[in-house]
Amino acid sequence: MFLYILAATFFLFAIIAAFKMESPLKGILFILSLILVCGVLYIFILFPGLSGLSVASMLLVFILRQNKK
């Protein structure tokens, strides 16, 4: 229950911060990026095998791209 209250408080502060940004577009993009990051973290927690596989593949792509330069 504590984590739900903590998450709700975090999102409340994020919405307040979004309204205080210079333009409404920046606020909307901030909220969308926050939702995307939280969604990715939720998927990684929900499917731990998938998260390990995706992190390993990202590291492999990063290493292979470094060799090409």
Side-chain angles (χ1 to χ4, degrees), residues 3-33:
L3 289 177
Y4 293 125
I5 295 170
L6 188 67
T9 306
F10 175 73
F11 277 113
L12 178 69
F13 286 147
I15 289 172
I16 291 170
F19 279 118
K20 291 187 178 264
M21 290 195 172
E22 296 91 31
S23 67
L25 181 63
K26 285 186 179 180
I28 290 171
L29 289 175
F30 174 71
I31 293 296
L32 286 176
S33 64

Side-chain angles (χ1 to χ4, degrees), residues 38-65:
C38 289
V40 167
L41 288 176
Y42 181 73
I43 289 175
F44 280 0
I45 291 170
L46 198 60
F47 303 108
L50 179 65
S51 67
L53 186 63
S54 63
V55 169
S57 63
M58 283 187 271
L59 284 173
L60 180 67
V61 167
F62 177 74
I63 290 169
L64 291 176
R65 287 185 57 101

